Amino acid sequence: MTQDPNESVEAFRARARDWLAATLPRRLDRVAADTVEDDSHEWERARELQKTLYEGGFAGICFPTEYGGLGLGEEYQKAFTEESEGYELPLLLNVPSFAICAATLLETGSEEQKRERIGAAIRGEEIMCQLLSEPSGGSDLAGLITRAEPDGDGWVLNGAKTWSTSAYAADWGLCLARTDWDAPKHQGLTMFLVPLDAPGLTMNRVRMVNGSREFCEEFFDDVRLPHSSVVGEVGDGWTVASRQLFHERSAVGGGSPYISGRRSVRTRSYPAPDQVARAVGADDDPFVRELLGEYLALTTVHQQTVERVSGAITAGTLPPSASSMLRLLHAEVGHLSADLGLRIAGSAVATGDGGTPGTEGWAGIGYLMRQGGSLGGGSTEIARNIISERMLGMPREHAPDRGVPFREVRRGN
C-alpha cells in the first residue's frame, strides 16, 4: 500500500493498533529454540511474518520508499514498536539483517544493491548477515587475512570467518576481505556482498556453552564473485566496515531506528533479577529488594541514555562514535543482571528448573553466557577506547603496525 506522507504519528499509531489486532497473533512466552538442531521453522515463520508486515504496509518504516520502505521518521517506528508489544513479530530479522546489514547498504551500497537486497529483505524474501571476525583476528578486525584477488571481471575469495550470527539462516553476507597487501592494514580492505550458497563456501555451526548454535564459521575456497559484489569502493572497505560497526553498536545498545519490536537480538530471554527473586520466593527480602533497586536504576538510566544519545546522533550534536556509550552501557546492564540473578538464586542456581524462563536454574545458564555482552558489537575494551579517544580527546594507544604495509606486519608468533 502507498504511505500517506501527511499522516500524523498519532493517526499512524491508531491505524497500526487496529491492523495489529486484526492481523497478528499474540506472542507466546516461550523459550527460544536455541538448542534445537533444526530451527528452520522459526526462520520460515519470521519470513512469513515479515511478508505480512510488508503486505499490511508496516515493513521497513524508516527505510526510503525507493527501496521498499515507508520513508518515515523514527517517531513512526517508535509508535509502531510500542503498539506491537505483545504481538508475534519477525524479531529474528532485526539483528543483524535490518539494523546492521540493510542499514549499512543504505549508506554505502550501489543503487542496484540497495534496490535488490534491501527491497528483498523488507519483503521477507531474503536475510542478510555479517562475515567479519576471523579465527586469528580477535578484536583486531582490520588485521584480517581473508583475501580477495582480482580475476578477469571479478574476484576470487579465500580465507575463513567465524562468530557470524545466524549466518546459517541467511541468504547474503557482508564480507570484509584484504585486497591490497602493500597498503597499511586499514587501507587495503574491500567489502563484498557474498551469496551464501556460492560454490566453494563451507559453513559450520558453532555450539556454545549454553547449547546454542546461533554462531557459524565459514571457509572460502576459491569463491568467485562478480565485480558488482563490491560494496563501496575497492580498497575503501574500512569506511564501509566503520559504518557497519556503528550500526552494530547502535543495534546492540538499543538505538537502531530500523528495528520493529522490543527484543532486538536473538538470544535466550534469560530471567531478569526480579523474575529470579519471585521464582525463589525472595521478592520480599529487604536485601534482595535493595539489589533489585540497583538493577532497576541502571536499566532506567540505560533506556533514557539510548533515547538521548540516539536523538543527538541523528540531530548531529553528537558524533557517530557516541554509539559506543550505548554499546558499553548495554554490557553493563547485562553483567549486573547476570550477577544479581546468580546472587539472588543462591544454591538454587544449580538445582532449580533450568528449562523455563524465570526459574532459578535458568539464571545459572544466563550467568554462563554473561561475557557475551562484553563481545557482541565489539568488545567493551574497544568501546572504552573509542569513547576516550574520539569523544574525550585522550591520546591514542600506540600501534606498532600503524602505517606499515600489511605484508610487513608480524602476525601470530
Side-chain angles (χ1 to χ4, degrees), residues 8 33 196 226 241 302 304 319 329 345 356 382:
S8 68
L196 298 186
H302 178 222
Q304 294 179 352
L329 194 51
T356 306
I382 289 179

Side-chain angles (χ1 to χ4, degrees), residues 22-346:
T23 309
L24 293 186
R26 304 294 296 188
R27 184 176 67 239
L28 299 177
D29 292 326
R30 61 186 179 85
V31 181
D34 287 337
T35 57
V36 176
E37 294 298 318
D38 181 11
D39 60 354
S40 58
H41 60 286
E42 291 192 6
W43 290 96
E44 287 305 315
R45 178 57 176 163
R47 290 178 190 253
E48 292 173 4
L49 290 168
Q50 184 63 33
K51 291 176 182 177
T52 301
L53 287 180
Y54 179 74
E55 293 167 357
F58 293 100
I61 292 173
C62 290
F63 285 99
T65 56
E66 56 265 39
Y67 308 130
L70 300 185
L72 298 175
E74 294 183 37
E75 64 273 19
Y76 290 84
Q77 179 61 74
K78 182 178 179 181
F80 182 82
T81 295
E82 291 173 350
E83 293 299 326
S84 65
E85 183 73 20
Y87 288 96
E88 187 180 4
L89 291 173
L91 300 177
L92 293 180
L93 308 185
N94 278 340
V95 179
S97 191
F98 282 121
I100 303 175
C101 298
T104 301
L105 284 182
L106 181 62
E107 296 179 351
T108 63
S110 66
E111 280 300 307
E112 179 184 7
Q113 291 166 348
K114 288 186 280 191
R115 291 183 185 279
E116 293 188 358
R117 301 285 78 78
I118 295 178
I122 291 175
R123 294 190 299 271
E125 298 169 358
E126 294 180 355
I127 299 172
M128 291 181 281
C129 72
Q130 302 186 92
L131 306 174
L132 296 179
S133 300
E134 298 194 356
S136 61
S139 296
D140 183 18
L141 177 59
L144 61 85
I145 58 176
T146 291
R147 65 190 185 276
E149 299 168 327
D151 183 67
D153 59 353
W155 299 83
V156 177
L157 184 67
N158 284 280
K161 298 289 182 177
T162 191
W163 306 124
S164 307
T165 305
S166 305
Y168 64 94
D171 303 286
W172 294 84
L174 282 172
C175 180
L176 191 61
R178 187 162 303 282
T179 50
D180 186 351
W181 292 71
D182 293 314
K185 66 179 184 180
H186 291 85
Q187 299 172 23
L189 304 172
T190 302
M191 187 71 73
F192 295 89
L193 255 177
V194 179
L196 298 186
D197 60 353
L201 195 162
T202 302
M203 182 182 299
N204 299 320
R205 295 178 68 174
V206 179
R207 189 179 299 279
M208 304 292 287
V209 68
N210 67 341
S212 167
R213 300 180 69 214
E214 174 186 4
F215 299 103
C216 296
E217 58 181 3
E218 300 83 26
F219 301 94
F220 307 95
D221 297 295
D222 292 332
V223 174
R224 304 190 69 85
L225 301 171
H227 187 73
S228 60
S229 64
V230 173
V231 180
E233 300 295 331
V234 174
D236 195 33
W238 189 250
T239 297
V240 181
S242 295
R243 294 307 299 167
Q244 194 169 340
L245 294 173
F246 160 74
H247 288 297
E248 183 174 14
R249 289 190 294 267
S250 295
V252 171
S256 173
Y258 302 110
I259 286 174
S260 283
R262 294 291 186 187
R263 186 165 55 89
S264 61
V265 292
R266 185 178 190 263
T267 56
R268 289 178 182 271
S269 299
Y270 297 115
D274 58 319
Q275 292 178 290
V276 179
R278 287 191 294 270
V280 299
D283 46 335
D284 289 329
D285 184 290
F287 176 67
V288 170
R289 294 178 70 86
E290 184 175 335
L291 296 178
L292 295 180
E294 179 184 357
Y295 170 73
L296 293 175
L298 184 58
T299 54
T300 300
V301 169
H302 178 222
Q303 293 166 358
Q304 294 179 352
T305 302
V306 167
E307 294 183 6
R308 182 174 181 180
V309 172
S310 298
I313 293 175
T314 300
T317 55
L318 277 178
S321 55
S323 63
S324 290
M325 294 193 295
L326 306 183
R327 187 261 167 277
L328 183 59
L329 194 51
H330 170 80
E332 295 293 331
V333 171
H335 290 172
L336 182 63
S337 177
D339 293 346
L340 295 186
L342 189 73
R343 292 179 65 182
I344 294 170

